[in-house]
Amino acid sequence: MALIVVPCPRAHCEQVLISGLRHVRVEGPPEWEEFPDSPDERFIDVKFKSSKNKSERALVVQQQDVKQRWDVTINGKPIGRLRIDENDMRVYFPVPANVVREGENVLRVEQAVQRNSMTDDVRIGNIRLLDRKVEDVLSEASCELTIVDAGSGKSLPSRITVINSDGALQSVAASSGDNLAVRPGIIYTSNGSARFGLPAGSYTVFAGRGFEYSVDRIEITLTPGQSIQRTLKLVREVDTEGLVACDTHVHTLTHSGHGDATVEERMITLAAEGIEMPIATDHNAHVDHRPFARQANVSQYFTPVIGNEVTSRIGHVNL
């Protein structure tokens, strides 16, 4: 059943289109036993009243357990797609000018059922429409982090995870490039430094580096316009002298055409997770990661191996 939402009376404010999470499945039996036989909805369909948006607005959605394509539209116009990611995360979509009409509007989130589509039980909700650009919302405050080795004090490549007060991964104002590889709530840094924006609010921030290091965490509360600096310290917990940390099956979007990590991003994540011998296994291609590692200034952290995932009619063979 559609939900009617009254318009927001103030100039800069938010409209809550859905409060809480809804279990959504377009058709078929439950994907897992943990899901009920019958979902709350087959798709999200919300009617709301608003004023016409003369400039970009931000649509905020919390999503969980998304493994198939889900399209987001307002008044039948594409706004974006949910991220194909099983994690609990808060994502943001720019709503272009003139998409929201004066009066009644319709928000719809629906799985794109295709020939090879599978049953996808998801939870979607806590949807808000903000009267500001996405960039402005995510840049209300800023955070600069430095991750160091607790023993030597030297900076470490690492993974940073940002969790909001709802327990979901929080999208940040930062982009992949230079020393960062960025996803909602997750920032990989190749040199131990990261600067990013966040909406005002309270967060738990974690830093780690693979299985050999400890995890450090901090609790932060940010107000609009605030900028903070923090240092997190990681302890080398496991002595791995004489051993090598391997990933024997490394793909990239650049050379395999699937996944979402470019080869440049992959160099950063390998260093940040402490992988010391990655083996490239892109499909039907011999890929040498060494020039990409040098370009990213991370060649000191791992020794790449050239491999190939040969794709044939009888299966995929890794060499």
Side-chain angles (χ1 to χ4, degrees):
M1 180 180 294
L3 176 69
I4 304 297
V5 181
V6 297
C8 181
R10 292 177 286 123
H12 292 288
C13 59
E14 65 178 52
Q15 290 179 266
V16 178
L17 306 188
I18 290 182
S19 180
L21 292 170
R22 297 184 185 178
H23 169 214
V24 185
R25 182 174 69 243
V26 63
E27 61 185 9
E31 181 184 5
W32 303 105
E33 290 182 357
E34 67 185 77
F35 290 101
D37 290 337
S38 299
D40 296 329
E41 309 282 355
R42 293 182 62 248
F43 50 82
I44 296 294
D45 187 53
V46 180
K47 294 180 180 178
F48 64 98
K49 292 182 179 180
S50 182
S51 58
K52 184 176 181 179
N53 68 317
K54 298 180 180 179
S55 59
E56 178 188 309
R57 291 182 185 174
L59 183 71
V60 188
V61 179
Q62 185 175 349
Q63 63 168 72
Q64 297 176 356
D65 210 43
V66 175
K67 292 178 289 301
Q68 301 292 321
R69 172 180 158 184
W70 288 77
D71 294 328
V72 181
T73 62
I74 293 180
N75 299 326
K77 297 181 179 179
I79 300 301
R81 295 174 182 170
L82 299 183
R83 280 197 168 267
I84 298 180
D85 196 309
E86 295 180 60
N87 283 308
D88 184 354
M89 59 177 57
R90 184 181 292 171
V91 293
Y92 294 70
F93 300 96
V95 179
N98 302 318
V99 169
V100 179
R101 300 187 294 241
E102 187 74 32
E104 188 171 284
N105 297 266
V106 178
L107 166 72
R108 193 177 181 98
V109 184
E110 184 175 24
Q111 182 180 351
V113 179
Q114 300 165 313
R115 184 168 56 89
N116 296 322
S117 295
M118 301 176 65
T119 298
D120 200 13
D121 280 282
V122 304
R123 293 186 179 94
I124 303 169
N126 293 322
I127 301 178
R128 296 174 292 141
L129 183 63
L130 311 182
D131 197 14
R132 288 173 291 161
K133 294 181 178 180
V134 170
E135 180 181 358
D136 294 339
V137 173
L138 295 180
S139 300
E140 278 188 331
S142 66
C143 183
E144 186 172 353
L145 301 182
T146 302
I147 318 301
V148 301
D149 183 288
S152 66
K154 294 182 179 179
S155 296
L156 279 176
S158 54
R159 167 180 162 151
I160 298 165
T161 305
V162 183
I163 305 295
N164 60 34
S165 56
D166 292 329
L169 291 169
Q170 172 62 47
S171 296
V172 303
S175 300
S176 295
D178 295 329
N179 67 307
L180 300 181
V182 181
R183 295 294 184 272
I186 298 173
I187 305 166
Y188 287 97
T189 167
S190 64
N191 62 6
S193 296
R195 183 180 177 86
F196 52 93
L198 282 170
S202 297
Y203 304 94
T204 303
V205 181
F206 299 86
R209 187 170 190 255
F211 296 109
E212 300 173 28
Y213 286 83
S214 66
V215 174
D216 198 4
R217 62 181 285 174
I218 56 173
E219 306 284 342
I220 59 174
T221 298
L222 301 171
T223 57
Q226 185 178 12
S227 180
I228 66 169
Q229 295 179 324
R230 297 289 188 273
T231 298
L232 291 89
K233 299 179 180 180
L234 306 184
V235 178
R236 185 69 174 266
E237 300 279 8
V238 183
D239 182 4
T240 57
E241 184 177 356
L243 302 173
V244 176
C246 302
D247 186 341
T248 62
H249 196 137
V250 178
H251 285 283
T252 66
L253 175 64
T254 305
H255 296 113
S256 280
H258 63 70
D260 71 349
T262 65
V263 68
E264 291 82 8
E265 290 177 313
R266 182 59 67 219
M267 298 303 100
I268 296 172
T269 66
L270 290 170
E273 292 287 10
I275 303 299
E276 297 163 322
M277 194 180 79
I279 300 177
T281 54
D282 284 301
H283 291 278
N284 304 320
H286 292 338
V287 176
D288 186 355
H289 285 159
R290 287 176 297 178
F292 302 105
R294 287 194 294 267
Q295 182 181 0
N297 197 29
V298 294
S299 56
Q300 68 271 34
Y301 296 113
F302 55 81
T303 301
V305 176
I306 299 173
N308 192 325
E309 183 167 328
V310 179
T311 308
S312 71
R313 289 179 298 173
I314 60 171
H316 297 181
V317 182
N318 283 269
L319 306 173

